[in-house]
Amino acid sequence: RAALPLLCAASALLLAAAAAIPPPEEAARMARFVLHSCDWGALATLSAQEGLRGRPFANIFSLSDGPPGPLGGSGVPYLYLTDMEISVQDLEVNSNASLTVSLAETPYCRKHKYDPQNPLCAHIIFAGSIVKVNDSEAVLAKKALFSRHPEMETWPKDHDWFFAKFNITNIWVLDYFGGLKIVTPEEYYSVKP
């Protein structure tokens, strides 16, 4: 019985250490950490809608790079989409987009009293394109998304939902004072989160 409290305390310390934010000099790790910490992001498209054609249009989307936990992230932002959604209609005309995720959506910034615009409340901007995933990758995307967003399984089947991913071509990290840091996709995918 005496070992149980010690085991619980040790587990709590391991979890706290695993959830520690990466230092500012490790921008690629920070990018992976922030994406994996977030359940949603702001996706900006170029509008194809009448009256807005060619203008930026941002919208919120649920996302996941893998099941929650320190070892669950692949770094690939997966989305569950339908052609009925206005931003997806934009993507059908031009698949280029940007995706912003921020620790402002987690308890981290509130705990430290960081305003979402404060650089210490890290946010990552990805540029790239949205692509439908193939059948084998859809299995990974489904596990990643439904583990974090179980409600998705109950969404109306007649909306023709499909799994997609954000194909990253550029990454900017703002996690400290002094401006944006550029991380290549190769650097991003090669680090351990």
Side-chain angles (χ1 to χ4, degrees), residues 171-191:
I171 305 164
W172 295 271
V173 176
L174 186 60
D175 64 346
Y176 201 73
F177 302 101
L180 290 168
K181 300 169 196 163
I182 296 173
V183 173
T184 67
E186 294 76 22
E187 292 167 329
Y188 174 80
Y189 285 115
S190 69
V191 298

Side-chain angles (χ1 to χ4, degrees), residues 78-99:
Y78 289 111
L79 304 105
Y80 195 42
L81 305 174
T82 172
D83 293 331
M84 299 172 80
E85 211 288 323
I86 191 168
S87 296
V88 177
Q89 294 168 18
D90 296 342
L91 293 166
E92 289 170 349
V93 175
N94 183 341
S95 65
N96 292 309
S98 68
L99 172 68

